[in-house]
Amino acid sequence: YISSSPDEIALVKGAKKYGFTYLGLENNYMKVQNQKNEIEVYKLLHVLDFDPNRRRMSVIVRNSAGKILLFCKGADSSIFERVPQEEIEQTKVHVERNALD
């Protein structure tokens, strides 16, 4: 995977560590090989580019079942304020564990 953004490269490498391989984007369709070696296809609906106010980047996709999903990456401070209160501690554990790997 080649990108001008070190954050995007880190995200793709992190996903690979957990068994998800980004296979690329073609004609607005993203392909990901999952942990079961199945190919998942997502239609890219919209990209919300990173900006200093939002401090995050998001993509909106539709999976093969028609479900619309939002994937987001960004500064901890911009993400944690959106995590439900009952999930904050578990999310912090995941973030810290991944930061050490």
Side-chain angles (χ1 to χ4, degrees), residues 18-95:
Y18 289 99
F20 294 88
T21 303
Y22 177 72
L23 300 175
L25 176 68
E26 187 176 327
N27 297 322
N28 283 332
Y29 285 89
M30 298 182 333
K31 292 183 181 178
V32 176
Q33 184 175 5
N34 67 23
Q35 297 164 319
K36 298 176 184 176
N37 288 326
E38 301 165 332
I39 305 298
E40 298 180 18
V41 178
Y42 299 89
K43 173 145 178 67
L44 180 61
L45 301 175
H46 192 70
V47 175
L48 298 162
D49 291 321
F50 179 89
D51 73 52
N53 294 326
R54 292 180 68 241
R55 296 184 324 250
R56 61 191 181 279
M57 175 192 178
S58 305
V59 294
I60 302 170
V61 299
R62 180 180 292 121
N63 68 10
S64 58
K67 187 173 183 179
I68 295 177
L69 305 165
L70 170 78
F71 293 98
C72 186
K73 71 175 184 77
D76 291 353
S77 59
S78 70
I79 301 298
F80 275 111
E81 63 190 34
R82 287 160 178 79
V83 174
Q85 188 66 36
E86 64 274 7
E87 296 178 20
I88 287 179
E89 286 308 312
Q90 181 182 5
T91 302
K92 284 182 180 179
V93 168
H94 289 294
V95 169

